Protein backbone atom coordinates (compact mmCIF):
# COMPACT_ATOMS: atom_id res chain seq x y z
CA UNK A 1 0.00 0.00 0.00
CA UNK A 2 1.38 3.37 -0.99
CA UNK A 3 0.27 5.56 1.91
CA UNK A 4 1.56 8.92 3.23
CA UNK A 5 0.89 8.26 6.91
CA UNK A 6 -0.71 5.65 9.11
CA UNK A 7 -2.34 6.20 12.49
CA UNK A 8 -2.51 3.22 14.84
CA UNK A 9 -3.47 2.42 18.42
CA UNK A 10 -6.66 4.48 18.28
CA UNK A 11 -10.31 4.23 19.08
CA UNK A 12 -12.13 5.86 16.21
CA UNK A 13 -15.48 7.61 16.70
CA UNK A 14 -16.23 7.62 12.98
CA UNK A 15 -19.71 9.20 13.42
CA UNK A 16 -20.54 7.20 10.30
CA UNK A 17 -24.21 6.17 10.50
CA UNK A 18 -23.51 3.09 8.36
CA UNK A 19 -21.69 1.71 11.43
CA UNK A 20 -24.40 0.85 13.95
CA UNK A 21 -22.13 1.04 17.03
CA UNK A 22 -22.62 4.13 19.22
CA UNK A 23 -20.52 6.94 17.71
CA UNK A 24 -19.78 4.55 14.81
CA UNK A 25 -16.91 3.27 16.93
CA UNK A 26 -14.01 1.19 15.69
CA UNK A 27 -11.88 -0.07 18.57
CA UNK A 28 -8.18 -0.68 18.12
CA UNK A 29 -8.54 1.14 14.84
CA UNK A 30 -6.14 2.23 12.15
CA UNK A 31 -6.46 5.04 9.68
CA UNK A 32 -4.31 5.56 6.59
CA UNK A 33 -3.99 8.83 4.73
CA UNK A 34 -2.85 9.55 1.20
CA UNK A 35 -2.67 13.16 -0.02
CA UNK A 36 -5.65 14.87 1.62
CA UNK A 37 -7.88 11.79 1.91
CA UNK A 38 -8.59 8.91 4.25
CA UNK A 39 -7.75 5.87 2.14
CA UNK A 40 -8.11 3.06 4.66
CA UNK A 41 -9.90 2.84 7.98
CA UNK A 42 -10.70 -0.23 10.01
CA UNK A 43 -9.63 -2.66 12.70
CA UNK A 44 -5.95 -3.31 13.18
CA UNK A 45 -6.56 -7.02 12.71
CA UNK A 46 -7.69 -6.34 9.14
CA UNK A 47 -4.91 -3.92 8.26
CA UNK A 48 -3.44 -4.71 4.83
CA UNK A 49 0.33 -4.86 4.48
CA UNK A 50 2.05 -1.57 3.86
CA UNK A 51 5.61 -0.42 3.49
CA UNK A 52 6.50 0.14 7.17
CA UNK A 53 9.91 1.54 6.33
CA UNK A 54 8.62 4.17 3.90
CA UNK A 55 5.47 5.23 5.77
CA UNK A 56 5.41 7.43 8.88
CA UNK A 57 3.40 5.72 11.60
CA UNK A 58 1.75 7.81 14.32
CA UNK A 59 0.58 6.23 17.55
CA UNK A 60 -2.58 7.34 19.27
CA UNK A 61 -1.70 5.65 22.60
CA UNK A 62 -5.23 4.38 22.96
CA UNK A 63 -6.74 7.87 22.58
CA UNK A 64 -9.84 8.70 20.59
CA UNK A 65 -10.11 10.07 17.08
CA UNK A 66 -13.12 12.07 15.91
CA UNK A 67 -13.84 13.96 12.72
CA UNK A 68 -12.49 17.52 12.81
CA UNK A 69 -15.08 19.69 14.53
CA UNK A 70 -17.32 21.96 12.46
CA UNK A 71 -18.79 25.14 13.95
CA UNK A 72 -21.66 25.82 11.54
CA UNK A 73 -22.88 29.14 12.96
CA UNK A 74 -20.62 31.99 14.09
CA UNK A 75 -20.46 35.76 13.84
CA UNK A 76 -16.77 35.80 14.70
CA UNK A 77 -15.81 38.95 12.81
CA UNK A 78 -16.75 42.00 14.84
CA UNK A 79 -15.07 44.90 16.62
CA UNK A 80 -15.60 46.01 20.21
CA UNK A 81 -17.55 44.12 22.83
CA UNK A 82 -20.83 44.49 24.72
CA UNK A 83 -19.88 43.98 28.35
CA UNK A 84 -21.81 47.18 29.16
CA UNK A 85 -25.01 45.63 27.81
CA UNK A 86 -24.34 42.52 29.86
CA UNK A 87 -24.29 44.76 32.91
CA UNK A 88 -27.53 46.44 31.76
CA UNK A 89 -29.22 43.10 31.34
CA UNK A 90 -28.06 42.02 34.78
CA UNK A 91 -29.66 45.24 36.01
CA UNK A 92 -32.99 44.17 34.53
CA UNK A 93 -33.05 45.38 30.89
CA UNK A 94 -33.99 42.80 28.25
CA UNK A 95 -32.12 42.05 25.01
CA UNK A 96 -35.10 43.38 23.02
CA UNK A 97 -35.27 46.60 25.06
CA UNK A 98 -31.59 47.27 24.51
CA UNK A 99 -31.98 46.55 20.78
CA UNK A 100 -35.02 48.83 20.43
CA UNK A 101 -33.11 51.62 22.19
CA UNK A 102 -30.45 51.50 19.45
CA UNK A 103 -27.96 49.28 21.30
CA UNK A 104 -27.51 45.59 20.70
CA UNK A 105 -26.48 44.62 17.18
CA UNK A 106 -26.30 48.31 16.21
CA UNK A 107 -23.61 49.08 18.76
CA UNK A 108 -21.42 46.36 17.25
CA UNK A 109 -22.28 47.74 13.78
CA UNK A 110 -20.84 51.11 14.80
CA UNK A 111 -17.57 49.58 16.04
CA UNK A 112 -17.27 47.27 13.02
CA UNK A 113 -17.84 50.06 10.50
CA UNK A 114 -15.02 52.00 12.15
CA UNK A 115 -12.55 49.10 12.13
CA UNK A 116 -10.15 48.59 9.24
CA UNK A 117 -9.96 45.38 7.26
CA UNK A 118 -6.56 44.68 8.86
CA UNK A 119 -7.95 45.15 12.38
CA UNK A 120 -10.87 42.86 11.71
CA UNK A 121 -8.55 40.27 10.20
CA UNK A 122 -6.36 40.29 13.31
CA UNK A 123 -9.37 39.98 15.64
CA UNK A 124 -10.78 37.19 13.50
CA UNK A 125 -7.45 35.36 13.31
CA UNK A 126 -7.12 35.20 17.10
CA UNK A 127 -10.67 33.90 17.47
CA UNK A 128 -10.16 31.33 14.74
CA UNK A 129 -6.97 30.21 16.52
CA UNK A 130 -8.95 29.71 19.73
CA UNK A 131 -11.51 27.53 17.93
CA UNK A 132 -8.77 25.63 16.09
CA UNK A 133 -7.00 24.85 19.39
CA UNK A 134 -10.15 22.97 20.40
CA UNK A 135 -10.20 20.89 17.23
CA UNK A 136 -12.32 22.97 14.86
CA UNK A 137 -11.33 22.36 11.24
CA UNK A 138 -14.28 24.06 9.48
CA UNK A 139 -16.15 27.16 10.52
CA UNK A 140 -18.98 29.23 9.13
CA UNK A 141 -18.64 33.01 9.49
CA UNK A 142 -21.44 35.50 8.88
CA UNK A 143 -21.37 39.16 7.96
CA UNK A 144 -24.12 41.31 9.45
CA UNK A 145 -22.32 44.01 11.45
CA UNK A 146 -21.99 46.33 8.45
CA UNK A 147 -25.58 46.88 7.33
CA UNK A 148 -24.19 48.99 4.49
CA UNK A 149 -22.68 47.63 1.30
CA UNK A 150 -19.09 48.63 1.96
CA UNK A 151 -18.84 47.17 5.46
CA UNK A 152 -20.75 43.99 4.60
CA UNK A 153 -18.24 43.40 1.78
CA UNK A 154 -15.38 44.25 4.14
CA UNK A 155 -16.51 41.61 6.63
CA UNK A 156 -16.92 38.96 3.96
CA UNK A 157 -13.53 39.75 2.43
CA UNK A 158 -11.95 39.34 5.85
CA UNK A 159 -13.73 36.01 6.27
CA UNK A 160 -12.48 34.80 2.87
CA UNK A 161 -8.93 35.99 3.70
CA UNK A 162 -9.01 34.13 7.01
CA UNK A 163 -9.92 30.98 5.09
CA UNK A 164 -6.94 31.48 2.77
CA UNK A 165 -4.42 32.12 5.56
CA UNK A 166 -5.56 29.61 8.15
CA UNK A 167 -5.71 25.82 8.04
CA UNK A 168 -9.36 26.01 9.18
CA UNK A 169 -11.77 26.00 6.23
CA UNK A 170 -14.12 28.99 6.24
CA UNK A 171 -17.63 28.99 4.77
CA UNK A 172 -19.06 32.49 4.49
CA UNK A 173 -22.62 33.69 4.90
CA UNK A 174 -24.01 37.08 3.87
CA UNK A 175 -26.26 38.36 6.67
CA UNK A 176 -26.97 41.89 5.43
CA UNK A 177 -30.46 41.51 6.92
CA UNK A 178 -29.30 41.14 10.51
CA UNK A 179 -30.88 44.38 11.79
CA UNK A 180 -32.31 47.57 10.34
CA UNK A 181 -29.50 50.14 10.23
CA UNK A 182 -30.05 53.62 11.75
CA UNK A 183 -30.05 55.23 8.28
CA UNK A 184 -33.13 53.15 7.39
CA UNK A 185 -35.05 53.48 10.64
CA UNK A 186 -38.76 53.41 9.67
CA UNK A 187 -37.72 52.59 6.08
CA UNK A 188 -37.33 48.88 6.45
CA UNK A 189 -38.69 48.06 2.98
CA UNK A 190 -36.14 50.34 1.38
CA UNK A 191 -33.40 48.56 3.33
CA UNK A 192 -34.62 45.17 2.11
CA UNK A 193 -34.45 46.54 -1.45
CA UNK A 194 -30.88 47.67 -0.79
CA UNK A 195 -29.98 44.18 0.44
CA UNK A 196 -31.53 42.52 -2.62
CA UNK A 197 -30.69 45.03 -5.36
CA UNK A 198 -27.31 46.36 -4.30
CA UNK A 199 -25.62 44.28 -1.62
CA UNK A 200 -26.42 40.81 -2.93
CA UNK A 201 -25.20 41.54 -6.49
CA UNK A 202 -22.01 43.09 -5.06
CA UNK A 203 -21.42 40.04 -2.86
CA UNK A 204 -21.98 37.75 -5.85
CA UNK A 205 -19.71 39.79 -8.12
CA UNK A 206 -16.76 39.14 -5.78
CA UNK A 207 -17.88 35.60 -4.94
CA UNK A 208 -17.80 36.49 -1.26
CA UNK A 209 -20.61 34.30 0.10
CA UNK A 210 -21.52 30.62 0.10
CA UNK A 211 -24.90 31.24 1.73
CA UNK A 212 -27.40 33.92 2.73
CA UNK A 213 -29.06 34.31 6.13
CA UNK A 214 -31.69 36.67 7.57
CA UNK A 215 -32.70 37.47 11.17
CA UNK A 216 -36.46 36.82 10.99
CA UNK A 217 -37.83 38.29 14.22
CA UNK A 218 -40.15 40.98 15.51
CA UNK A 219 -37.13 43.21 16.23
CA UNK A 220 -35.68 42.55 12.77
CA UNK A 221 -37.26 41.31 9.49
CA UNK A 222 -40.79 39.99 9.02
CA UNK A 223 -41.91 37.03 6.89
CA UNK A 224 -42.51 38.80 3.55
CA UNK A 225 -39.18 40.62 3.85
CA UNK A 226 -37.41 37.38 4.74
CA UNK A 227 -39.06 35.63 1.80
CA UNK A 228 -37.92 38.32 -0.61
CA UNK A 229 -34.27 38.11 0.46
CA UNK A 230 -34.06 34.32 0.67
CA UNK A 231 -35.83 33.84 -2.68
CA UNK A 232 -33.41 36.28 -4.35
CA UNK A 233 -30.44 34.43 -2.85
CA UNK A 234 -31.80 31.06 -3.91
CA UNK A 235 -32.38 32.31 -7.46
CA UNK A 236 -28.67 33.16 -7.59
CA UNK A 237 -27.75 29.63 -6.56
CA UNK A 238 -26.65 30.41 -3.00
CA UNK A 239 -27.48 28.20 -0.04
CA UNK A 240 -30.01 29.70 2.35
CA UNK A 241 -30.48 29.48 6.11
CA UNK A 242 -32.37 31.48 8.68
CA UNK A 243 -32.18 32.86 12.22
CA UNK A 244 -35.69 31.73 13.09
CA UNK A 245 -37.99 31.44 16.09
CA UNK A 246 -35.37 32.76 18.51
CA UNK A 247 -37.50 35.21 20.50
CA UNK A 248 -40.99 34.44 19.14
CA UNK A 249 -42.77 32.10 16.71
CA UNK A 250 -42.84 34.02 13.43
CA UNK A 251 -43.24 31.04 11.06
CA UNK A 252 -39.79 31.68 9.63
CA UNK A 253 -38.75 28.04 9.79
CA UNK A 254 -41.66 26.85 7.64
CA UNK A 255 -40.91 29.58 5.12
CA UNK A 256 -37.22 28.65 5.04
CA UNK A 257 -38.15 24.99 4.65
CA UNK A 258 -40.43 25.78 1.70
CA UNK A 259 -37.43 27.41 0.01
CA UNK A 260 -35.15 24.42 0.71
CA UNK A 261 -33.03 26.03 3.43
CA UNK A 262 -30.01 24.09 4.69
CA UNK A 263 -30.75 25.02 8.30
CA UNK A 264 -32.95 27.00 10.65
CA UNK A 265 -31.07 28.29 13.65
CA UNK A 266 -31.98 29.01 17.31
CA UNK A 267 -35.63 27.76 17.05
CA UNK A 268 -36.54 27.90 20.75
CA UNK A 269 -40.08 28.96 19.76
CA UNK A 270 -40.53 26.42 16.92
CA UNK A 271 -43.87 24.54 17.09
CA UNK A 272 -44.80 21.08 15.81
CA UNK A 273 -46.02 22.32 12.42
CA UNK A 274 -42.65 24.01 11.97
CA UNK A 275 -40.79 20.84 12.97
CA UNK A 276 -42.80 18.85 10.40
CA UNK A 277 -42.04 21.43 7.72
CA UNK A 278 -38.29 21.28 8.25
CA UNK A 279 -38.38 17.48 8.53
CA UNK A 280 -40.01 17.26 5.10
CA UNK A 281 -37.54 19.59 3.44
CA UNK A 282 -34.47 17.92 4.97
CA UNK A 283 -33.53 21.17 6.71
CA UNK A 284 -31.20 20.88 9.73
CA UNK A 285 -32.10 22.31 13.14
CA UNK A 286 -29.18 24.34 14.48
CA UNK A 287 -29.29 24.63 18.26
CA UNK A 288 -27.34 27.46 19.87
CA UNK A 289 -27.08 26.75 23.59
CA UNK A 290 -24.63 29.60 24.19
CA UNK A 291 -27.27 32.19 23.26
CA UNK A 292 -29.93 30.32 25.23
CA UNK A 293 -27.68 30.37 28.30
CA UNK A 294 -26.44 33.94 27.97
CA UNK A 295 -29.93 35.39 27.44
CA UNK A 296 -31.15 33.22 30.33
CA UNK A 297 -33.85 31.94 27.98
CA UNK A 298 -36.25 29.49 29.57
CA UNK A 299 -38.14 28.25 26.50
CA UNK A 300 -36.41 25.10 25.30
CA UNK A 301 -36.17 24.22 21.62
CA UNK A 302 -38.48 21.29 20.76
CA UNK A 303 -35.81 18.61 21.08
CA UNK A 304 -38.18 15.65 21.45
CA UNK A 305 -40.17 16.66 18.37
CA UNK A 306 -36.95 17.10 16.40
CA UNK A 307 -35.94 13.58 17.45
CA UNK A 308 -39.35 12.12 16.61
CA UNK A 309 -39.23 13.64 13.14
CA UNK A 310 -35.57 12.65 12.56
CA UNK A 311 -34.43 16.21 11.99
CA UNK A 312 -30.61 16.39 11.97
CA UNK A 313 -29.60 18.48 14.99
CA UNK A 314 -26.59 20.76 14.80
CA UNK A 315 -24.84 22.43 17.74
CA UNK A 316 -22.89 25.64 17.15
CA UNK A 317 -21.29 28.42 19.18
CA UNK A 318 -23.14 31.37 17.56
CA UNK A 319 -20.03 33.21 18.77
CA UNK A 320 -21.02 36.91 18.81
CA UNK A 321 -20.60 39.83 21.22
CA UNK A 322 -24.27 40.20 22.11
CA UNK A 323 -25.87 36.86 22.80
CA UNK A 324 -23.09 34.27 22.85
CA UNK A 325 -19.66 35.70 23.73
CA UNK A 326 -18.19 32.20 23.90
CA UNK A 327 -15.36 31.43 21.52
CA UNK A 328 -15.56 27.70 22.15
CA UNK A 329 -17.20 24.91 20.22
CA UNK A 330 -16.30 22.32 22.87
CA UNK A 331 -18.18 24.29 25.54
CA UNK A 332 -21.30 23.99 23.37
CA UNK A 333 -21.15 20.20 23.63
CA UNK A 334 -21.50 20.48 27.37
CA UNK A 335 -24.21 23.15 27.16
CA UNK A 336 -26.11 21.16 24.54
CA UNK A 337 -26.24 18.22 26.95
CA UNK A 338 -26.87 20.09 30.22
CA UNK A 339 -29.28 22.73 28.90
CA UNK A 340 -31.00 20.89 26.05
CA UNK A 341 -30.60 17.33 27.33
CA UNK A 342 -28.93 16.08 24.18
CA UNK A 343 -26.98 12.89 24.56
CA UNK A 344 -23.20 13.32 24.23
CA UNK A 345 -23.46 11.32 21.01
CA UNK A 346 -26.11 13.69 19.61
CA UNK A 347 -23.98 16.65 20.64
CA UNK A 348 -20.91 15.26 18.87
CA UNK A 349 -22.98 14.53 15.75
CA UNK A 350 -24.09 18.17 15.99
CA UNK A 351 -20.54 19.44 15.52
CA UNK A 352 -19.51 16.83 12.95
CA UNK A 353 -21.90 14.90 10.68
CA UNK A 354 -24.93 17.16 11.00
CA UNK A 355 -22.90 20.37 10.96
CA UNK A 356 -21.41 19.22 7.65
CA UNK A 357 -24.92 18.70 6.29
CA UNK A 358 -25.99 22.17 7.40
CA UNK A 359 -23.09 23.61 5.40
CA UNK A 360 -23.68 21.37 2.37
CA UNK A 361 -20.25 19.70 2.68
CA UNK A 362 -21.36 16.30 3.96
CA UNK A 363 -19.83 14.45 1.01
CA UNK A 364 -16.36 15.62 2.10
CA UNK A 365 -16.26 16.01 5.88
CA UNK A 366 -18.15 15.27 9.09
CA UNK A 367 -17.67 11.50 9.25
CA UNK A 368 -14.56 9.36 9.05
CA UNK A 369 -14.62 6.83 6.25
CA UNK A 370 -12.62 5.97 3.17
CA UNK A 371 -12.70 8.68 0.54
CA UNK A 372 -13.44 11.51 2.96
CA UNK A 373 -11.14 14.47 3.49
CA UNK A 374 -8.51 13.66 6.14
CA UNK A 375 -9.73 16.16 8.75
CA UNK A 376 -9.57 14.59 12.18
CA UNK A 377 -8.64 15.15 15.83
CA UNK A 378 -6.86 12.92 18.30
CA UNK A 379 -8.05 13.41 21.89
CA UNK A 380 -6.58 12.28 25.19
CA UNK A 381 -9.88 10.93 26.53
CA UNK A 382 -11.11 7.53 27.58
CA UNK A 383 -14.58 7.77 26.03
CA UNK A 384 -16.09 10.18 23.50
CA UNK A 385 -18.68 11.33 26.07
CA UNK A 386 -15.77 13.04 27.86
CA UNK A 387 -15.76 15.74 25.18
CA UNK A 388 -19.19 16.87 26.37
CA UNK A 389 -18.68 16.06 30.03
CA UNK A 390 -15.79 18.20 31.10
CA UNK A 391 -14.62 21.62 30.03
CA UNK A 392 -11.41 23.60 30.54
CA UNK A 393 -8.78 20.88 30.33
CA UNK A 394 -8.36 20.92 26.60
CA UNK A 395 -7.81 17.23 25.71
CA UNK A 396 -6.80 17.87 22.09
CA UNK A 397 -3.53 16.12 21.21
CA UNK A 398 -3.28 16.45 17.42
CA UNK A 399 -5.20 17.82 14.49
CA UNK A 400 -4.83 16.55 10.95
CA UNK A 401 -6.31 18.85 8.32
CA UNK A 402 -6.38 17.92 4.63
CA UNK A 403 -3.96 15.12 5.48
CA UNK A 404 -1.44 17.42 7.15
CA UNK A 405 -0.44 17.29 10.81
CA UNK A 406 -1.06 20.80 12.17
CA UNK A 407 1.37 22.34 14.62
CA UNK A 408 -0.41 24.89 16.78
N1 LIG B 1 -29.47 36.32 16.90
C1 LIG B 1 -28.46 36.27 17.77
O1 LIG B 1 -28.48 35.65 18.81
C2 LIG B 1 -27.33 37.06 17.24
N2 LIG B 1 -27.84 37.47 15.98
C3 LIG B 1 -29.09 37.05 15.85
O2 LIG B 1 -29.75 37.27 14.85
C4 LIG B 1 -27.05 38.22 18.12
C5 LIG B 1 -26.10 39.18 17.53
C6 LIG B 1 -25.80 40.31 18.45
O3 LIG B 1 -26.51 40.60 19.43
O4 LIG B 1 -24.76 40.96 18.17
FE1 LIG C 1 -26.48 33.90 15.14
Amino acid sequence: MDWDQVWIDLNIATMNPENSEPYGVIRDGVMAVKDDKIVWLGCRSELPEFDVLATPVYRGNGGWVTPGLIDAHTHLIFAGNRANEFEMRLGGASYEEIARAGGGILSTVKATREASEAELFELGRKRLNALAKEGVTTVEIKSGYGLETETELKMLRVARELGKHHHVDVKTTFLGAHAIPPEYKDKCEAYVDLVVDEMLPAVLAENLADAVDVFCENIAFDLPQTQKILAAAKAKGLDIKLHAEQLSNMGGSALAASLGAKSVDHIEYLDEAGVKAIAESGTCATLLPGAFYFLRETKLPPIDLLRQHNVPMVIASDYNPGTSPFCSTLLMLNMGCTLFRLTPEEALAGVTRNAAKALGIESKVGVLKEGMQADFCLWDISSPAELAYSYGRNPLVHVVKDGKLIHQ
Side-chain angles (χ1 to χ4, degrees):
M1 292 290 157
D2 173 25
W3 292 334
D4 291 341
Q5 52 183 284
V6 175
W7 289 75
I8 63 168
D9 196 11
L10 320 162
N11 295 297
I12 309 175
T14 66
M15 303 312 284
N16 181 357
E18 293 151 23
N19 175 337
S20 59
E21 294 293 316
Y23 300 91
V25 163
I26 298 176
R27 286 183 188 276
D28 196 10
V30 175
M31 222 169 12
V33 174
K34 168 88 182 154
D35 300 323
D36 61 343
K37 296 264 172 359
I38 298 168
V39 288
W40 194 88
L41 176 146
C43 270
R44 189 168 185 167
S45 57
E46 288 156 24
L47 180 64
E49 275 188 23
F50 65 97
D51 186 347
V52 280
L53 293 177
T55 316
V57 175
Y58 297 91
R59 283 170 199 284
N61 299 322
W64 282 78
V65 164
T66 67
L69 306 188
I70 301 169
D71 196 326
H73 181 142
T74 84
H75 306 247
L76 73 72
I77 296 173
F78 60 86
N81 73 74
R82 307 239 291 277
N84 60 333
E85 292 180 10
F86 180 46
E87 288 185 309
M88 284 160 74
R89 285 200 299 108
L90 290 170
S94 75
Y95 181 72
E96 279 110 317
E97 281 162 7
I98 293 169
R100 287 188 199 284
I105 292 172
L106 295 186
S107 58
T108 301
V109 167
K110 187 166 181 297
T112 305
R113 285 179 178 180
E114 283 164 9
S116 69
E117 216 160 299
E119 284 161 352
L120 290 178
F121 181 88
E122 197 45 29
L123 289 165
R125 193 181 63 81
K126 287 187 183 138
R127 295 166 187 158
L128 206 50
N129 281 344
L131 294 179
K133 284 201 164 75
E134 290 189 344
V136 170
T137 49
T138 303
V139 70
E140 183 256 21
I141 303 178
K142 300 174 197 292
S143 68
Y145 292 123
L147 311 185
E148 63 186 9
T149 308
E150 189 195 333
T151 311
E152 287 294 311
L153 295 178
K154 178 172 76 178
M155 290 185 72
L156 290 169
R157 282 192 205 112
V158 170
R160 282 275 194 246
E161 281 302 301
L162 284 171
K164 281 187 208 142
H165 290 93
H166 206 287
H167 72 266
V168 172
D169 281 336
V170 173
K171 298 286 278 180
T172 59
T173 299
F174 169 54
L175 177 58
H178 193 194
I180 296 136
E183 303 81 18
Y184 284 83
K185 195 170 187 291
D186 306 319
K187 290 189 290 182
C188 191
E189 294 301 332
Y191 183 65
V192 171
D193 289 343
L194 184 78
V195 169
V196 171
D197 299 332
E198 184 180 303
M199 291 186 190
L200 186 58
V203 166
L204 285 161
E206 284 187 54
N207 186 25
L208 289 176
D210 304 309
V212 171
D213 192 350
V214 174
F215 186 20
C216 180
E217 193 50 69
N218 52 39
I219 53 168
F221 298 89
D222 67 15
L223 270 190
Q225 292 162 347
T226 302
Q227 147 101 32
K228 192 167 177 183
I229 296 165
L230 294 186
K234 187 182 170 177
K236 296 294 182 193
L238 293 174
D239 284 344
I240 57 173
K241 56 181 78 176
L242 191 64
H243 279 73
E245 274 68 75
Q246 179 182 7
L247 307 170
S248 63
N249 186 1
M250 304 269 294
S253 298
L255 167 69
S258 74
L259 292 167
K262 290 273 179 215
S263 70
V264 290
D265 302 39
H266 286 287
I267 60 166
E268 278 86 345
Y269 287 79
L270 186 63
D271 60 13
E272 183 157 17
V275 173
K276 283 188 177 150
I278 62 171
E280 272 162 33
S281 59
T283 300
C284 297
T286 300
L287 307 171
L288 304 170
F292 176 93
Y293 162 85
F294 196 62
L295 293 180
R296 304 182 68 196
E297 179 59 69
T298 50
K299 177 107 174 72
L300 283 161
I303 305 290
D304 281 338
L305 287 171
L306 294 169
R307 282 193 188 113
Q308 274 166 35
H309 292 277
N310 291 317
V311 176
M313 290 187 280
V314 177
I315 293 269
S317 68
D318 194 19
Y319 179 39
N320 78 72
T323 64
S324 190
F326 308 116
C327 193
S328 170
T329 313
L330 275 187
L331 177 59
M332 299 304 134
L333 296 184
N334 179 275
M335 286 192 181
C337 297
T338 51
L339 299 174
F340 295 165
R341 288 284 174 244
L342 296 190
T343 66
E345 186 179 358
E346 285 172 329
L348 189 58
V351 295
T352 55
R353 183 177 71 232
N354 294 343
K357 186 168 159 56
L359 296 180
I361 50 176
E362 68 271 33
S363 64
K364 289 192 285 191
V365 290
V367 305
L368 298 175
K369 64 178 181 180
E370 286 163 20
M372 299 297 267
Q373 203 165 289
D375 289 9
F376 57 86
C377 301
L378 174 68
W379 307 92
D380 174 21
I381 52 178
S382 53
S383 75
E386 253 188 74
L387 291 179
Y389 154 72
S390 163
Y391 180 75
R393 177 197 76 95
N394 184 353
L396 186 66
V397 182
H398 283 305
V399 175
V400 172
K401 175 78 185 86
D402 295 323
K404 292 189 187 66
L405 186 60
I406 303 295
H407 298 281
Q408 55 182 1

